[in-house]
Amino acid sequence: MARFCTFFSGSTGNSTYIGTAKGGILVDAGASGKAILTAADKQGIEAEKISAICVTHEHIDHIKGLCPLLKKLKVPLIASSDTIKALVEKGKLPAGAEVIEIGDNSVEIADIVINRFAISHDCVGASGYTFNMPDNRKIAVCTDTGVVTDAIRQSLMGSDLCLIESNHDLKMLKNGPYPPELKIRIMSDYGHLSNNACAAELVGLLEGGTTRFVLGHLSQHNNLPALALSSAKNAFADIAAKENEDYILTVASASGGKMMVL
C-alpha cells in the first residue's frame, strides 16, 4: 500500500515522504537533514529506505537540508535541468552527487514512477511531481505555484491523493505585515495559491476522481488552518460533496505530520 507523510510544510520548510512498505522518496528537503531524518524515524522510516530526493525548486525552504542529506544517504537527486543548474551555481550539491535530470521523461525509483510538470513560480525550472505507485495509486504534489494552468490540471487529474498549496488568505495578506512588493509577488501568477484559488481547483479534482486532499505550504503570517479548511469545505459544499464520505481533507502540519496509508 502507498504511504504519504508531510514531515514539514509551510514558509519555514517543506519535506514530504512518498513510498511503500519497501521504501520511498523525499520531495524537498527544506528543514535540516537531522530534523528530516528524525521526522522519518518517528514515522518508522529508516534512513536506508529513502531511495531518492526530488526537488521542486531551489528556494531555501525546499533545500535547506539537501546537501547534508545527499552526503549521508548517498541517493540520487531528481530535478529539472534548470533547478540542477541553480543548485550547482549556489553550491548546494556535494561533490560526486548522483543527479537525475527529469523533464518530459519518467524516472523510476523504488518501483515508483515519477513524472514532472512545470509550475508557475518566481524561479526557472520549478516543478510539481506525480508518483505512480506499484499498487496503481497516484499521488501528486503541487505547491509554490501562482496559478494552476491547464497543463497542471491535466497532470493532477486522476490522483488518488493530492498535496496542493493553500498558501494565504487574501484579506490577511493584504492587511498583514509584509512590504507591498512582497505582497504583490505572492499574489502574482508567479507567487503562491490563495485559499480561494486552491478551493476552486479542488472541485474539479474531486469530480475527476481524487478523494484525498492535503492542503499544504500555508503561510505562518498570512493564513490559518481553519481558514484554508473553510474555503475548501465551502467549495465542496457547493457541489453537495460530503466530508469523509466523498472526500477526506486535511491540512499539512508545519512539522510532525501523520502517515497516511492509501
Side-chain angles (χ1 to χ4, degrees):
M1 291 185 284
R3 288 163 167 76
F4 173 94
C5 185
T6 50
F7 294 155
F8 301 93
S9 182
S11 49
T12 58
N14 298 272
S15 187
T16 296
Y17 177 81
I18 295 168
T20 66
K22 294 182 178 180
I25 297 163
L26 280 181
V27 182
D28 289 329
S32 71
K34 181 179 179 180
I36 290 171
L37 292 179
T38 298
D41 184 64
K42 288 180 178 178
Q43 298 297 331
I45 302 165
E46 300 170 0
E48 294 76 17
K49 288 190 175 183
I50 298 173
S51 300
I53 303 175
C54 290
V55 169
T56 58
H57 62 294
E58 76 272 17
H59 289 169
I60 191 64
D61 59 322
H62 294 261
I63 65 160
K64 180 179 180 180
L66 178 64
C67 193
L69 279 178
L70 290 175
K71 285 181 180 179
K72 182 176 180 62
L73 300 178
K74 302 188 186 309
V75 297
L77 161 75
I78 301 170
S80 72
S81 59
D82 285 326
T83 295
I84 292 168
K85 181 180 178 181
L87 292 171
V88 170
E89 290 175 348
K90 293 181 177 183
K92 298 298 183 180
L93 295 184
E98 181 182 356
V99 173
I100 300 175
E101 182 180 314
I102 188 168
D104 294 333
N105 57 304
S106 297
V107 173
E108 185 170 346
I109 299 284
D111 297 325
I112 300 169
V113 178
I114 307 162
N115 287 284
R116 172 195 179 265
F117 55 91
I119 57 176
S120 181
H121 203 43
D122 58 346
C123 58
V124 294
S127 305
Y129 294 101
T130 61
F131 301 85
N132 292 304
M133 311 302 289
D135 59 0
N136 294 318
R137 297 283 194 175
K138 178 180 175 181
I139 297 173
V141 174
C142 181
T143 66
D144 296 79
T145 189
V147 66
V148 177
T149 64
D150 288 341
I152 292 174
R153 288 189 190 96
Q154 187 62 38
S155 295
L156 300 181
M157 198 60 64
S159 301
D160 294 282
L161 181 151
C162 183
L163 168 61
I164 186 168
E165 177 172 65
S166 191
N167 177 257
H168 58 276
D169 173 78
L170 279 171
K171 185 179 292 186
M172 285 186 69
L173 176 61
K174 290 177 179 178
N175 296 323
Y178 285 3
E181 60 271 19
L182 181 54
K183 293 179 182 181
I184 291 170
R185 175 220 165 214
I186 292 170
M187 290 186 288
S188 76
D189 285 352
Y190 299 96
H192 294 275
L193 287 183
S194 69
N195 290 341
N196 289 344
C198 171
E201 297 301 327
L202 299 181
V203 171
L205 289 172
L206 179 62
E207 292 174 340
T210 304
T211 56
R212 295 173 183 256
F213 301 92
V214 180
L215 308 181
H217 211 295
L218 272 68
S219 169
Q220 69 180 134
H221 297 295
N222 303 304
N223 207 356
L224 296 169
L227 292 176
L229 286 170
S230 178
S231 293
K233 290 179 181 180
N234 287 341
F236 285 135
D238 286 342
I239 59 168
K242 296 181 179 179
E243 187 175 10
N244 298 322
E245 291 185 20
D246 301 310
Y247 68 90
I248 296 172
L249 177 69
T250 60
V251 171
S253 173
S255 62
K258 294 178 64 176
M259 182 69 73
M260 299 175 68
V261 180
L262 282 69

